[in-house]
Amino acid sequence: MTASLRVRVTVYLLLGGLVPWAGVKTVWTLGGDALGVDGEAWRRGIESDGDAVYRALAAVGVDLTVLAALLGVFLALGLVQRWGMVFPRWTPLLAGRQVPAPLPLIPAWAVGLCLGTYGVVLLVMVPLGLAGVIARFPPVPPFTSSGDVTWMILFGGLAFGGLGAALVVGAWSYGRRGARLRTRRSPRAGRRDVLSRRRDAP
């Protein structure tokens, strides 16, 4: 059972918030320049401060945080598509079986609420910093200006807030569709509903 068109469009639009952030991170990882940051300086920072996995992925042009975000995108899409409720044919031994509801819902709610809250905090910080209510963001290396840092915080807020909200919306829809599906497939539940309606009828 696929989510309604309105839910799917909402999730897709929210996931679109990842594009500026992921694009900038990918440009840096590939050695390009963006937001006043030199790609080579970014990669040197990864080589000196990042762990072995981060460095290995960066060496082939893949940013670890972008990869993690793509896993979140996969989860969000699964929450609104049919293959998220029934294992697809390419899953060995599980094809055609119903996905246990807690399997996607627990990480979706947990990650979605945390990321969504973090994203909202970042988005609120940007106008407060620009208005002088809070201190302006210092240009922490490899950034060379406060303005560039502000842009990256804005992109991060859109990315994390959008992904978090997409997971929450998808999880809410998934839970409702799963409940309807279980009721539809349960003859006992169906008979109980009929008897209940008959008793309540005038």
Side-chain angles (χ1 to χ4, degrees):
M1 183 186 296
T2 305
S4 68
L5 178 61
R6 182 174 61 179
V7 169
R8 281 181 282 140
V9 170
T10 300
V11 168
Y12 300 155
L13 291 175
L14 289 169
L15 291 177
L18 283 162
V19 174
W21 171 83
V24 170
K25 296 292 290 285
T26 301
V27 168
W28 287 338
T29 307
L30 293 174
D33 302 342
L35 294 182
V37 174
D38 178 70
E40 290 301 321
W42 177 261
R43 295 189 65 173
R44 283 195 300 270
I46 292 175
E47 292 172 358
S48 61
D49 301 331
D51 58 25
V53 175
Y54 207 134
R55 292 196 300 270
L57 289 172
V60 294
V62 178
D63 183 87
L64 180 61
T65 56
V66 173
L67 183 61
L70 289 177
L71 294 177
V73 171
F74 178 80
L75 176 58
L77 294 178
L79 292 169
V80 297
Q81 298 294 336
R82 183 181 182 279
W83 53 263
M85 303 195 78
V86 178
F87 286 106
R89 286 179 295 179
W90 48 265
T91 51
L93 305 178
L94 297 174
R97 295 177 180 271
Q98 187 171 346
V99 177
L103 185 63
L105 286 180
I106 291 175
W109 279 112
V111 175
L113 291 173
C114 291
L115 280 184
T117 302
Y118 179 55
V120 169
V121 170
L122 292 180
L123 290 174
V124 170
M125 288 173 61
V126 171
L128 291 180
L130 293 175
V133 177
I134 62 175
R136 292 181 67 88
F137 313 111
V140 180
F143 291 96
T144 56
S145 75
S146 178
D148 295 333
V149 176
T150 301
W151 274 110
M152 197 56 192
I153 292 175
L154 175 62
F155 289 166
L158 291 173
F160 301 132
L163 178 56
L167 288 170
V168 168
V169 171
W172 170 81
S173 171
Y174 189 98
R176 294 190 60 180
R177 286 180 290 125
R180 290 199 300 268
L181 188 62
R182 287 190 296 272
T183 301
R184 185 183 306 169
R185 290 184 174 181
S186 172
R188 292 183 179 180
R191 286 196 295 269
R192 286 197 300 268
D193 291 342
V194 171
L195 291 174
S196 177
R197 285 196 295 270
R198 287 178 178 175
R199 285 195 299 268
D200 294 340

